[in-house]
Amino acid sequence: MTKLAKYIKAKRKEFGLTQVDLSQKSGVGLRFVREMEQGKETLRLDKVNQVLALFGAEMAPMKLSDV
């Protein structure tokens, strides 16, 4: 599981949301939410940021040494 997948799943649970709730509130499909939480390696960045925006976060560049 990727760091993103773990983060999304933890935040979703912290906010008491189901995958269906998260997909509806963020405006992405349920399949996308499931794939993201399963750690799919190829995801559309704009959709990832739609989901992350609900939690006050976004994807951003960082140095590899920070990973």
Side-chain angles (χ1 to χ4, degrees):
M1 187 179 287
T2 64
K3 286 182 180 182
L4 176 63
K6 289 177 186 176
Y7 179 84
I8 294 294
K9 191 170 189 174
K11 284 298 196 181
R12 177 177 62 78
K13 290 184 176 190
E14 178 183 325
F15 281 74
L17 301 171
T18 64
Q19 287 181 333
V20 172
D21 294 335
L22 182 57
S23 72
Q24 291 173 345
K25 289 182 183 293
S26 64
V28 302
L30 178 58
R31 179 178 174 182
F32 183 82
V33 171
R34 288 182 175 156
E35 288 176 344
M36 189 168 43
E37 285 193 5
Q38 291 170 357
K40 183 178 178 187
E41 292 186 18
T42 55
L43 296 167
R44 284 188 43 187
L45 186 56
D46 60 330
K47 288 187 174 188
V48 170
N49 280 329
Q50 274 182 251
V51 175
L52 289 173
L54 291 176
F55 308 124
E58 69 177 10
M59 294 292 287
M62 60 189 296
K63 291 182 180 182
L64 290 176
S65 61
D66 294 338
V67 176

